[in-house]
Amino acid sequence: MLLLGLTGSIGMGKSTTAAMFRELGVPVHDADATVHRLYAGEAAPLIEAAFPGVVIDGVVDRKALGEQVLGDAAAMQRLEAIVHPLVREAEKAFLAEAAAQRATVAVLDVPLLLETGGEARVDAVVVVTADAAIQRQRVLARPGMTEERFAQIRSRQMPDAEKRRRAHFIVDTGLGMASARRQARDILRAVAGLSGVIRTS
């Protein structure tokens, strides 16, 4: 089974691209969705112990947590030490299931794939990109987003130009969704012999 690592900075269209790969018949593991689930489950008491006051009714309040960790490297490291091992366990279970289903290719959707050295555990890296003006417009249109928060998030992310330099494949969502879908299909064709997993509809 060939493993693609899908990544991209905030507002680039990574989640939309992941959905396109799913539509094309490829199993996708969404690291962000796993974190959301963990924040409402087994990670919540561990995070509350490390960051008192961020759990409400058994669920991590992401805004409250963000206020404690964004811009604080030591706090972010403490959070990652709690969450990352749990995410990796979920990822291993996903890969085992994909292998059992005899998937030819699978995708790991990981926002900080390159920042955390995750490219070492995939066969090829797919970077989702868009023009900086489009990225900015998309991000600032999100509820509760501010210039300051956008800057804090970007400070944790590798510059887009560097991500593109390190990519094996690029999907540019700034060209429109129809184009992005064609690019995703072309990537699957490029990684060879995958006609059995590509849906034509």
Side-chain angles (χ1 to χ4, degrees):
M1 180 173 66
L2 187 140
L3 197 55
L4 296 176
L6 178 68
T7 194
S9 297
I10 185 171
M12 293 302 195
K14 179 181 60 59
S15 296
T16 300
T17 303
M20 292 174 182
F21 278 115
R22 286 192 189 92
E23 291 166 6
L24 293 168
V26 178
V28 176
H29 180 260
D30 184 336
D32 261 355
T34 298
V35 170
H36 275 280
R37 191 183 74 248
L38 290 168
Y39 278 11
E42 60 187 299
L46 302 174
I47 292 172
E48 176 64 19
F51 305 98
V54 302
V55 173
I56 300 172
D57 295 329
V59 178
V60 175
D61 182 316
R62 291 174 75 98
K63 185 173 184 294
L65 180 61
E67 289 171 355
Q68 291 203 32
V69 302
L70 284 176
D72 185 334
M76 186 63 72
Q77 287 178 348
R78 290 201 307 276
L79 177 62
E80 290 173 348
I82 294 168
V83 175
H84 283 183
L86 298 174
V87 174
R88 289 297 296 275
E89 284 180 21
E91 181 184 294
K92 287 178 183 177
F94 161 81
L95 292 174
E97 176 64 19
Q101 297 296 323
R102 300 194 177 185
T104 311
V105 62
V107 170
L108 297 183
D109 174 357
V110 184
L112 298 178
L113 182 80
L114 296 174
E115 290 86 344
T116 59
E119 69 267 33
R121 64 182 197 274
V122 299
D123 298 301
V125 173
V126 180
V127 168
V128 183
T129 189
D131 183 80
I134 294 174
Q135 176 196 27
R136 180 183 182 82
Q137 181 182 41
R138 288 173 178 170
V139 174
L140 292 179
R142 296 182 180 186
M145 184 58 67
T146 64
E147 291 275 6
E148 181 183 11
R149 182 168 171 76
F150 182 29
Q152 287 176 331
I153 293 170
R154 288 183 65 187
S155 72
R156 293 186 59 229
Q157 297 183 333
M158 184 181 293
D160 181 58
E162 176 63 13
K163 286 183 178 177
R164 286 187 277 110
R165 190 187 70 78
R166 294 171 63 172
H168 297 92
F169 302 101
I170 291 174
V171 175
D172 188 341
T173 64
L175 302 175
M177 292 305 108
S179 173
R181 184 182 174 87
R182 285 194 298 273
Q183 293 171 66
R185 186 185 296 274
D186 288 345
I187 288 168
L188 294 183
R189 289 185 172 133
V191 295
L194 300 180
S195 58
V197 303
I198 300 176
R199 296 175 182 164
T200 57
S201 59

